[in-house]
């Protein structure tokens, strides 16, 4: 029945080309932890696991029934990261006479009153497009009975809740090995029981119809109405949940937590890798070492080893994907550094773990040029043989003047005007 791991990771290319559907997803990876959210689209979606992904987890939530119970939820993690898998997200049950069930197994509602609810669809992860290859299933909720009818049972858990009873009884919840039983009535058309992956259909009477069963590992049974009296039909049973413990672990089941359509959330961690190590000289006394990282690893000063023991580094600042270290006090003209500790083992294949640079430790030669003085001051322009920065007034020794001001590279000297 269920694929083993070898089959799980070896879907054929021809199948993917023929059946793959573009997902409606949002993906973000803050600090190397990625989250992909799948919403209900009425189609299955193939998710290809990134090559550098690890620690995959999931949150699978079934859909609610129309005027009915909320869907269930299953959370857990994969024992091993698969190459890829299919995601089916359940659609919310509808409201109306003989309303169609929600996508992915929701049962059809009964008819005549017009406010009967169909069952919500299950959400699942599977190894192919077949329901036989589902490895995680979150059951959908049952639909509500017509007119002043009873509520649908909530989806979720290994055995889901039954629907509420009115004049006709509610459908039973799906279980681990069988679908929920059909609700009973004394007249009208019969409800149907749930089956593998599919919720049962609600029964109908001249006055109102029962709710449809929720989809699930096994679907809930349809609710029924009594033809002889009154106007409150039974609700559909909820669909059951499931997890294949040979492929997934850390499983937690919840019942009745998802309103509206279902959802599937996949989270994973990107394996850290250092893709470049670059050193640049900013001035005669300052260097910058940029370590570019993918994933969640954050390098520190402890990961840097300098050939010149005089070099001093500050903790890094993140600029885009690069961690930039300010390095000062180096004295040797031949600069060389490498990564140690955990960082050394994260270097991308083919990328050097050593950064070298011939340093220019001689500062620029400066020249002073005085412009024609006015009555009270002298202007002196500072120029140099190289581009420079960081000039301060304290760099000048001034005698015989009552004031001195520095603006950029222009020094103003003169007598006080007060």
């Amino acid at each position: 029945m269920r694929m083993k791991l070898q089959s799980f990771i070896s879907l054929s290319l021809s199948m993917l080309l023929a059946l793959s559907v573009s997902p409606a997803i949002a993906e973000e990876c803050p600090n190397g932890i990625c989250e992909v959210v799948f919403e209900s689209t009425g189609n299955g979606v193939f998710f290809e696991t990134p090559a550098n992904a690890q620690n995959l987890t999931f949150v699978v939530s079934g859909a609610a029934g129309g005027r009915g119970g909320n869907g269930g939820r299953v959370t857990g993690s994969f024992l091993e990261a698969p190459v890829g898998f299919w995601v089916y997200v359940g659609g919310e049950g509808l409201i109306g006479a003989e309303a169609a069930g929600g996508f992915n197994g929701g049962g059809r509602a009964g008819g005549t009153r017009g406010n009967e609810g169909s069952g919500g669809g299950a959400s699942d992860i599977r190894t192919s497009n077949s329901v036989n290859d589902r490895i995680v299933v979150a059951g959908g909720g049952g639909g509500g009975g017509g007119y002043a009818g009873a509520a649908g049972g909530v989806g979720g858990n290994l055995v889901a809740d039954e629907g509420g009873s009115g004049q006709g009884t509610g459908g039973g919840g799906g279980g681990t090995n069988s679908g929920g039983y059909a609700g009973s009535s004394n007249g009208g058309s019969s409800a149907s029981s749930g089956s593998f992956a599919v919720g049962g259909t609600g029964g109908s009477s001249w006055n109102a119809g029962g709710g449809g069963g929720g989809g699930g590992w096994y679907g809930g049974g349809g609710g029924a109405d009594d033809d002889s009296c009154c106007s409150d039909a039974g609700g559909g049973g909820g669909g059951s949940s499931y997890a294949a413990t040979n492929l997934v672990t850390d499983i937690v089941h919840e019942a009745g937590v998802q309103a509206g359509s279902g959802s599937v959330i996949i989270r994973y961690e990107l394996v850290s890798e250092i893709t470049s190590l670059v050193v640049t000289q900013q001035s005669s006394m300052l260097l910058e070492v940029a370590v570019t990282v993918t994933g969640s690893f954050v390098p520190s000063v402890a990961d840097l080893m300098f050939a010149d023991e005089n070099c001093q580094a500050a903790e890094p600042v993140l600029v885009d994907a690069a961690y930039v270290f300010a390095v000062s006090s180096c004295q040797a003209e031949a600069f060389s550094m490498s990564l140690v500790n955990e960082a050394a083992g994260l270097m991308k294949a083919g990328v050097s773990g050593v950064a070298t640079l011939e340093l220019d430790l001689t500062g620029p030669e400066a020249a002073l040029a005085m412009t024609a003085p006015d009555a009270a001051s002298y202007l002196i322009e500072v120029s140099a043989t190289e581009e420079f920065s960081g000039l301060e007034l304290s760099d000048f020794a001034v005698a015989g003047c009552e004031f001195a001001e520095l603006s950029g590279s222009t020094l103003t000297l003169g007598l006080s005007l007060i």
Side-chain angles (χ1 to χ4, degrees):
M1 286 284 290
R2 298 189 299 274
M3 283 189 176
K4 301 301 183 184
L5 182 61
Q6 290 85 348
S7 300
F8 182 33
I9 62 176
S10 59
L11 294 172
S12 69
L13 178 61
S14 60
M15 176 183 289
L16 299 187
L17 292 176
L19 299 175
S20 181
V21 179
S22 297
I25 63 175
E27 180 172 6
E28 307 215 351
C29 300
N31 300 318
I33 306 298
C34 298
E35 180 175 286
V36 187
V37 180
F38 295 82
E39 301 173 344
S40 183
T41 63
N43 292 290
V45 175
F46 184 76
F47 174 73
E48 183 176 358
T49 306
N52 61 336
Q54 63 182 1
N55 301 328
L56 268 74
T57 65
F58 53 81
V59 180
V60 181
S61 301
R67 290 184 57 244
N70 285 345
R73 178 171 295 158
V74 183
T75 61
S77 57
F78 291 93
L79 285 169
E80 296 185 29
V83 172
F85 47 83
W86 287 87
V87 174
Y88 280 70
V89 180
E92 182 179 10
L94 303 178
I95 299 172
E98 300 185 349
F103 171 71
N104 207 26
R108 181 169 57 82
T112 68
R113 174 56 58 175
N115 70 337
E116 296 84 355
S118 66
S123 296
D124 65 71
I125 297 171
R126 57 182 80 173
T127 62
S128 77
N129 280 278
S130 171
V131 294
N132 295 320
D133 294 326
R134 296 178 297 168
I135 62 171
V136 179
V137 182
Y147 197 23
V154 299
N157 287 338
L158 298 178
V159 178
D161 286 4
E162 62 184 23
S165 293
Q167 296 301 314
T169 60
T176 57
N177 296 301
S178 62
Y181 57 81
S184 62
S185 71
N186 293 323
S189 65
S190 299
S192 65
S193 60
S195 59
F196 185 66
V198 180
T201 299
S204 298
S205 76
W206 63 269
N207 194 33
W217 176 243
Y218 278 90
D225 190 33
D226 193 324
D227 225 12
S228 63
C229 173
C230 310
S231 55
D232 47 350
S240 61
S241 296
Y242 168 82
T245 55
N246 62 321
L247 296 174
V248 295
T249 188
D250 302 323
I251 300 302
V252 176
H253 290 280
E254 298 176 86
V257 294
Q258 180 75 10
S261 295
S263 71
V264 173
I265 301 172
I266 303 296
R267 298 186 180 97
Y268 56 90
E269 181 181 357
L270 292 176
V271 177
S272 295
E273 187 176 54
I274 295 175
T275 58
S276 70
L277 175 62
V278 178
V279 58
T280 56
Q281 184 171 2
Q282 304 300 306
S283 70
S284 60
M285 298 299 293
L286 180 64
L287 308 174
E288 282 188 353
V289 173
V291 181
T292 304
V293 178
T294 60
S296 57
F297 175 72
V298 178
S300 70
V301 169
D303 297 310
L304 310 184
M305 182 172 66
F306 300 100
D308 183 352
E309 296 181 355
N310 296 296
C311 295
Q312 301 293 321
E315 291 297 340
V317 175
L318 181 61
V319 181
D320 295 327
Y323 291 90
V324 180
F325 296 82
V327 180
S328 60
S329 303
C330 296
Q331 296 181 10
E333 292 187 8
F335 174 85
S336 177
M337 65 146 294
S338 58
L339 297 175
V340 295
N341 302 330
E342 179 186 358
L346 299 178
M347 294 301 303
K348 182 177 180 180
V351 176
S352 175
V354 178
T356 60
L357 187 67
E358 290 296 322
L359 302 185
D360 178 5
L361 300 180
T362 303
E365 295 182 4
L368 303 179
M370 185 175 65
T371 63
D374 59 24
S377 63
Y378 297 89
L379 297 180
I380 300 176
E381 291 291 337
V382 182
S383 60
T385 55
E386 299 177 22
E387 194 172 321
F388 65 95
S389 62
L391 194 62
E392 298 179 1
L393 185 60
S394 59
D395 295 322
F396 298 89
V398 179
C401 296
E402 294 186 9
F403 73 89
E405 294 178 352
L406 179 66
S407 176
S409 60
T410 302
L411 181 66
T412 303
L413 305 175
L415 303 175
S416 175
L417 299 178
I418 300 176

